[in-house]
Amino acid sequence: MAIIHYANDMSHIQIVYYSSGDSTHRLAEAIQEGAAEYGHARLLRILPQHIQHGRYPIQAFADELQDASAIIFGSPTFMGGPAAQFKAFADASSANWCRQAWADKIAAGFTIGGNLNGDQQCTLAYFSTLAAQHGMLWCGLDIAAGYSPEGLNRLGCQLGATAHSPDGKLHPSDLATAHHLGRRVAGLANRMRAAALKKEQQT
């Protein structure tokens, strides 16, 4: 796979997710749209056919993940945690863990469930633990539930973006919250990138 080069003044956001249907994918697209306001945002959808013998071929995407300023993890919540397909990706990332190759990158997460709660917080906690394993910097939401004029974060989760879809339809607020999370992560990545470049110029 060819190495992808990005402009120094733009962040590169990689959105890694599994979607069993369309709902999680639409959340990923909303995050991509938000992140694109500040930089380059790419979707890396985990597909069942990618997984062989329970493992995800993460080396095929090593350059994209290594070049990322931030990685946003996503999965529907199944039985109180992320889908097995996402876990295959997480397990395969252990090679990067050994080298701490993703250290100091920004991380964030999103999930969706069929119930208002449905233990979605557990999925986000799993994502944040995965990020901590890699030495990444976790970025949650900066919106207190009930205090946004646009009705963002209606489910009141600060750890990441959550959505409730009992019938496969997404609430506009959940899509807007996902968009906000993408924008927030990319904006923060840009500020960190600018600060690092300024520090390099001063030394």
Side-chain angles (χ1 to χ4, degrees):
M1 181 174 292
I3 297 177
I4 302 169
H5 298 284
Y6 295 91
N8 288 335
D9 60 343
M10 299 289 280
S11 61
H12 165 210
I13 312 302
Q14 191 74 47
I15 304 160
V16 182
Y17 68 102
Y18 170 72
S19 182
S20 58
D22 188 53
S23 298
T24 310
H25 175 65
R26 289 179 61 203
L27 286 174
E29 288 183 322
I31 289 173
Q32 181 186 33
E33 291 170 2
E37 295 183 18
Y38 283 102
H40 304 276
R42 294 172 60 89
L43 298 178
L44 174 52
R45 183 171 183 172
I46 299 167
L47 298 173
Q49 58 265 35
H50 289 161
I51 301 169
Q52 298 180 0
H53 307 293
R55 299 287 284 185
Y56 184 80
I58 198 167
Q59 287 306 115
F61 305 97
D63 290 336
E64 293 181 58
L65 294 167
Q66 187 59 49
D67 286 347
S69 307
I71 303 175
I72 303 176
F73 305 120
S75 169
T77 295
F78 291 152
M79 300 304 294
Q85 291 86 346
F86 182 89
K87 188 64 165 58
F89 164 85
D91 290 350
S93 74
S94 61
N96 295 296
W97 167 76
C98 295
R99 298 180 290 108
Q100 290 290 280
W102 299 348
D104 297 334
K105 295 182 186 296
I106 299 170
F110 64 101
T111 188
I112 184 171
N115 295 302
L116 282 170
N117 182 318
D119 295 321
Q120 294 185 51
Q121 189 88 357
C122 295
T123 300
L124 293 176
Y126 176 88
F127 292 154
S128 65
T129 300
L130 175 64
Q133 288 272 319
H134 284 287
M136 303 172 79
L137 308 174
W138 188 259
C139 177
L141 284 175
D142 57 344
I143 309 165
Y147 287 88
S148 166
E150 299 83 12
L152 302 183
N153 193 18
R154 70 184 182 101
L155 299 181
C157 182
Q158 300 299 139
L159 195 56
T162 58
H164 169 228
S165 178
D167 55 2
K169 298 178 181 179
L170 282 168
H171 194 286
S173 174
D174 296 342
L175 286 169
T177 302
H179 184 280
H180 177 88
L181 178 65
R183 190 173 186 272
R184 171 168 162 77
V185 168
L188 179 60
N190 269 2
R191 291 195 295 274
M192 290 181 61
R193 194 179 183 89
L197 289 172
K198 182 177 181 180
K199 186 175 181 179
E200 285 181 8
Q201 293 169 356
Q202 291 174 344
T203 56

